[in-house]
Amino acid sequence: MAQDSAHDISHIQRVVKQAKCLAIKEDADIKIVSTAAWLHDLVNYAKDDPNRAQASFHSASEAEPLLKELGFAAPEVSAIQHAIVTHSFSAQVTPRTLEAKIVQDADRLDALGAIGVARCMMVGGRLNRSLYELIDPFCQEREPNDLLYTIDHFYKKLLNLESTFQTLSGRQEAQRRSQFMRSFLDQLALEIRD
C-alpha cells in the first residue's frame, strides 16, 4: 500500500492507463502489462526509507500468490513479476521484455510533466525539504542535493529520466513532459530572481 500521497491509487491508475496506451502503440501483451502496472507498487516504502530499493522485489513477491489464485499460468506470473521488479528506478534492474520496458516507461512518465512537478512538490513537502537553495537554486555551480532541496530533485533525477526510456512511444512522451518541466523551472527562475 502507498505510504505517501505521491504513490496513492491515482498514481496507480495513471500508470495503468499510460501502460495500456504504450502497450497498444508498441504491440505488447496488454494482459501482462496492465496486470503488472496495477500491482507495481503493491509494496511501497517512503522515499526516505532505507528499504526503498527493495520495494519492487517485495511487490513482485507479494503479487505471486495473488496471481496464482487468479489463475495466471506460471510463465505469465514470471513475466508480470519481472515487469514489477524492473519498473523501479531505485532497484536498477534492466528490463528484458517489451512488457517490462513498457511498465518501467509508464511509471517513469508519472514522474514527469505537470503531474511530475506536483508529485515532486508533494514528496518534498512531506519530507520537510526546503523548496530551493538560496544562493544557487538551479544547481549551476554546485552538485544537486535533493535530500535538502526539492528543486534539486529535478537536476539529480527527473530531468535525467528522459534518456532512460526503453520504448519509442515512451521516449516521445518523456521528451514532451520534460520540456514542460524545463519551462516550469524557467518560470520559477523569473519569479525568484532578485
Side-chain angles (χ1 to χ4, degrees):
M1 277 298 152
Q3 299 267 334
D4 64 71
S5 54
H7 292 88
D8 60 5
I9 189 65
S10 64
H11 163 70
I12 303 284
Q13 289 172 333
R14 287 188 305 271
V15 172
V16 169
K17 180 180 177 185
Q18 192 63 60
K20 287 179 178 179
C21 181
L22 293 176
I24 291 166
K25 290 178 181 177
E26 299 290 332
D27 197 27
D29 185 327
I30 200 159
K31 179 181 177 184
I32 299 297
V33 167
S34 60
T35 304
W38 275 114
L39 300 175
H40 81 279
D41 275 345
L42 197 57
V43 175
N44 184 43
Y45 299 110
K47 290 284 185 189
D48 57 348
D49 190 297
N51 294 314
R52 181 77 184 154
Q54 297 302 310
S56 67
F57 294 97
H58 295 165
S59 292
S61 292
E62 292 284 327
E64 184 175 11
L66 175 63
L67 294 168
K68 287 179 178 177
E69 185 179 322
L70 292 171
F72 283 85
E76 293 174 316
V77 172
S78 179
I80 293 164
Q81 286 184 296
H82 175 66
I84 291 170
V85 167
T86 63
H87 92 272
S88 170
F89 184 87
S90 302
Q92 295 293 304
V93 178
T94 303
R96 298 183 314 265
T97 66
L98 176 59
E99 290 73 22
K101 290 175 181 180
I102 287 169
V103 174
Q104 185 182 90
D105 281 2
D107 185 62
R108 290 182 183 188
L109 283 171
D110 208 52
L112 299 176
I115 199 70
V117 170
R119 290 178 71 221
C120 182
M121 298 303 159
M122 290 167 65
V123 171
R126 189 184 66 77
L127 295 173
N128 203 29
R129 293 178 179 154
S130 296
L131 183 57
Y132 56 87
E133 197 270 343
L134 293 175
I135 297 170
D136 184 9
F138 303 103
C139 304
Q140 293 175 326
E141 296 180 14
R142 65 180 178 85
E143 289 296 313
N145 183 349
D146 61 356
L147 297 178
L148 295 176
Y149 308 107
T150 300
I151 292 300
D152 285 26
H153 194 59
F154 285 73
Y155 299 100
K156 180 95 173 177
K157 178 183 176 186
L158 300 179
L159 292 175
N160 299 316
L161 284 178
E162 188 178 338
S163 66
T164 70
F165 278 75
Q166 303 283 329
T167 66
L168 177 60
S169 302
R171 255 189 315 279
Q172 289 170 339
E173 182 62 14
Q175 289 168 353
R176 190 183 70 73
R177 292 185 186 203
S178 294
Q179 183 53 50
F180 173 86
M181 295 179 91
R182 287 188 285 272
S183 296
F184 167 80
L185 292 170
D186 290 343
Q187 180 63 32
L188 181 61
L190 288 174
E191 293 179 16
I192 66 174
R193 184 182 297 155
D194 290 340

